[in-house]
Amino acid sequence: ELTGFYKYMDQLVSPTADPQASTLYQSVGTGQVVGGELLARFDTQYVDGWLAYTISQSKRVDRPGEPERPFTFDQTHVLSFVIGFNPGDNWRIGARVRYSTGNPYTPLRASYYDATNDVYVATAAAGLLSRRLDDFFQLDLRIDKTFFFDAWRLTVYLEVQNATNRANTEAVGYNYDYSERDDINSLPIIPSFGIRGSW
């Protein structure tokens, strides 16, 4: 399946330009999203799976006359691939691959030290959402064996999440004075063993 899409938005909520204004937000923003999606499925006696890929761009303008910027969760490329092998004798081996472009973020730097509250106050070091996190990638693996009985079945499996032990960045963080990045990363490699019975 191949699908294209386009969406135009108006009256998006945006903060007012004047922080002293009586109204903190106004519905004056505009935005648009354009892209396409490919979905392919396959199913044979020994191999099955699916592939999904999306390419898109989502941009918005907070107020008339201001420059265009990406939406907070804009991701240009998103790829998911799942494949399973059935070698026989009720064994199954599977893998899942996920990839996506990193989310936009605004880099920060310390502007001044607030002695009253004992904190460093940060300001933007570049344009709003002008940088991107590193791309996200994760590989998950699984192997299982199913035993069939008269009225029920038992499945034993071994699963490894994030098999490459990639440190994907979930959120941007900084040290106390904003002089160094201190990001929040996703979980490391996680092997797990399980037994499941079903009737």
Side-chain angles (χ1 to χ4, degrees), residues 96-160:
R96 177 178 65 177
V97 175
R98 292 182 292 158
Y99 167 85
S100 67
T101 306
N103 288 332
Y105 75 96
T106 305
L108 302 177
R109 63 184 172 197
S111 177
Y112 63 90
Y113 173 68
D114 182 352
T116 302
N117 297 303
D118 191 27
V119 294
Y120 285 85
V121 179
T123 57
L128 182 64
L129 300 178
S130 59
R131 302 286 190 272
R132 282 190 180 271
L133 298 176
D134 292 338
D135 294 348
F136 174 92
F137 175 83
Q138 183 166 318
L139 169 65
D140 303 325
L141 303 173
R142 177 184 171 114
I143 181 169
D144 62 56
K145 164 78 171 176
T146 301
F147 301 90
F148 290 90
F149 301 94
D150 291 338
W152 65 290
R153 62 183 179 180
L154 178 71
T155 301
V156 180
Y157 66 86
L158 175 64
E159 189 173 79
V160 181

Side-chain angles (χ1 to χ4, degrees), residues 3 12 73 144 150 172 177 194:
T3 305
L12 298 177
F73 297 106
D144 62 56
D150 291 338
V172 174
D177 63 354

Side-chain angles (χ1 to χ4, degrees), residues 46-73:
Y46 298 105
V47 182
D48 60 83
W50 54 270
L51 169 71
Y53 170 67
T54 302
I55 181 170
S56 66
Q57 186 179 63
S58 55
K59 300 275 191 175
R60 67 173 287 166
V61 176
D62 290 324
R63 288 177 294 273
E66 291 194 354
E68 192 176 54
R69 67 166 178 85
F71 274 85
T72 304
F73 297 106

